[in-house]
Amino acid sequence: MIIKKYEGNPILKPNKDNKWENLAVLNPAVVYDEVNKEFKMLYRAAGDDDEHYIYLGLATSKDGFNFTRYSNEPIVKPDVNGPDGGCIEDPRLFYLGGYYYLTYASRTFPPGKYWLSLAQGKKVYGYKPEFGPSYLRNNNSISYLAISKDLINWKKLGRVTDSRYDDRDVVIFYQKEKDRFVKISRPMEWCGEGYPCKVPSMWISYSDDMMEWGKPKLLYQPEYDWEDKKIGASTNVIETPYGYLLTYHGVSKKDNCYRVGALMLHKRHPARIIAKTSKPLMVPEYDYELEGFYDGCVFPVGLVVKEDTMYWYYGTADKYVCVATCSYSEFLDKLMLGEL
């Protein structure tokens, strides 16, 4: 494969000394700070509590491989008395006009130890009666937006998806050509009868302010067996000379494993796909990817391009943080030539 996994993986493991991250660290969003010449990572973290509250921690690195935690406390926390009171999950980051923009998935109530429910064949996000009235107990994933100037102090702006649907895997990017924002998301219920896709797929919509969005349109649905159960956007979008590079994860019905693909979106018309992968770019293969709280999972959330190197930051088996690299120019050439 063109993408090479780092021999020193995992690069971040649970920290037994901090209760909020002593069980799992995963799914990292990463940006490169040009001023301080530093990689900065927001990572999802959870401790060994029955409720399974989920937080975001911050870590930094000079070389992109060796990260140091910024604090013994989480940087972004669930507001237990607010709409994101259960968890702050799967961050995506981009930088524009002096601000970092963060999208994250959340639930009103904590999800509980979902891996135990999966193993027992039970409904994954069930809860105790004291959690709230019955009509709230579906505990949908809703996606939110927050902003910061320093990645430390955050202002939560509110939700950017419809609370009636389980809608996550949200990435937002700025389209210069039309001076607007573009959002990719994956509403779980928008499939099957009455919809243009059979399984949960990626949808695209537009906005002038990142808060209110127009009517979504189907962007891409699975075409191959390694992604035939569901797909969703993965990392932040990268603007390239050819268009907007969108990576995504695909789940197979056969083995439930998470794998990785990529699309190139047209610069003037992002709903138009001008190149795509046919085979997975990354697959679970090592022990740290095959065994954990979700066996068989590689889940990229952060993508950094520095000079001619692409750094792919990903969560593995819902337990660790890892990184892989490849040549940026070679990757683009092969993608556009249909060789990936």
Side-chain angles (χ1 to χ4, degrees), residues 284-295:
E285 53 187 323
Y286 296 108
D287 288 347
Y288 57 81
E289 299 167 337
L290 294 169
E291 299 175 4
F293 299 113
Y294 191 105
D295 297 344

Side-chain angles (χ1 to χ4, degrees), residues 10-305:
I11 60 171
L12 200 69
K13 296 180 179 180
N15 183 355
K16 61 181 178 62
D17 296 326
N18 292 334
K19 290 184 177 181
W20 60 275
E21 60 171 348
N22 65 7
L23 185 72
V25 293
L26 59 150
N27 300 1
V30 182
V31 293
Y32 184 71
D33 182 344
E34 292 284 357
V35 175
N36 296 301
K37 306 300 180 185
E38 192 172 52
F39 294 80
K40 295 183 176 180
M41 173 194 294
L42 282 181
Y43 61 93
R44 169 178 161 178
D48 192 18
D49 54 293
D50 289 337
E51 296 84 359
H52 197 63
Y53 285 102
I54 301 173
Y55 311 85
L56 298 184
L58 176 64
T60 61
S61 170
K62 289 296 184 181
D63 63 6
F65 300 101
N66 298 285
F67 280 83
T68 301
R69 285 170 165 86
Y70 170 80
S71 171
N72 287 324
E73 297 295 328
I75 296 299
V76 187
K77 305 176 184 179
D79 177 0
V80 294
N81 293 316
D84 65 357
C87 50
I88 306 289
E89 300 184 29
D90 301 352
R92 273 82 170 186
L93 281 170
F94 75 97
Y95 184 78
L96 180 69
Y99 286 93
Y100 293 99
Y101 292 84
L102 164 70
T103 59
Y104 63 93
S106 182
R107 302 178 192 274
T108 305
F109 305 109
K113 294 185 174 181
Y114 60 86
W115 56 95
L116 298 180
S117 299
L118 286 171
Q120 297 165 3
K122 297 179 181 179
K123 185 178 179 181
V124 177
Y125 297 110
Y127 343 37
K128 302 174 183 177
E130 60 265 29
F131 277 178
S134 60
Y135 59 83
L136 290 177
R137 291 184 198 165
N138 59 3
N139 211 23
N140 281 343
S141 287
I142 301 170
S143 294
Y144 293 84
L145 179 67
I147 58 173
S148 173
K149 285 193 171 184
D150 57 11
L151 289 175
I152 299 168
N153 301 288
W154 289 92
K155 173 68 175 178
K156 295 178 180 178
L157 300 181
R159 62 180 174 88
V160 291
T161 59
D162 191 325
S163 62
R164 294 173 294 179
Y165 308 105
D166 198 309
D167 199 355
R168 59 191 299 152
D169 297 326
V170 168
V171 297
I172 295 175
F173 63 96
Y174 175 61
Q175 184 190 8
K176 295 178 182 177
E177 288 76 7
K178 295 191 177 180
D179 188 25
R180 63 180 177 179
F181 297 97
V182 184
K183 181 183 75 176
I184 315 294
S185 73
R186 197 275 312 282
M188 284 292 289
E189 296 87 354
W190 288 12
C191 59
E193 186 176 353
Y195 291 93
C197 50
K198 294 181 180 180
V199 299
S201 302
M202 289 186 288
W203 294 69
I204 186 170
S205 56
Y206 305 95
S207 171
D208 293 327
D209 62 6
M210 279 192 280
M211 296 304 298
E212 302 299 331
W213 295 87
K215 185 177 180 180
K217 174 184 177 182
L218 180 66
L219 173 66
Y220 180 71
Q221 60 180 310
E223 296 183 5
Y224 309 103
D225 57 1
W226 58 270
E227 58 181 7
D228 60 0
K229 183 176 181 179
K230 61 180 179 179
I231 58 174
S234 279
T235 70
N236 49 297
V237 171
I238 300 292
E239 184 180 2
T240 78
Y242 303 102
Y244 296 105
L245 175 63
L246 172 67
T247 68
Y248 70 94
H249 55 270
V251 184
S252 167
K253 291 179 181 178
K254 183 178 180 179
D255 58 16
N256 281 318
C257 283
Y258 278 74
R259 298 173 175 85
V260 183
L263 308 172
M264 186 66 75
L265 308 182
H266 194 284
K267 276 198 174 183
R268 292 189 299 278
H269 307 285
R272 184 186 305 168
I273 297 168
I274 59 175
K276 61 184 177 67
T277 53
S278 58
K279 299 177 182 179
L281 295 167
M282 296 174 64
V283 302
E285 53 187 323
Y286 296 108
D287 288 347
Y288 57 81
E289 299 167 337
L290 294 169
E291 299 175 4
F293 299 113
Y294 191 105
D295 297 344
C297 178
V298 289
F299 195 92
V301 182
L303 186 60
V304 171
V305 176

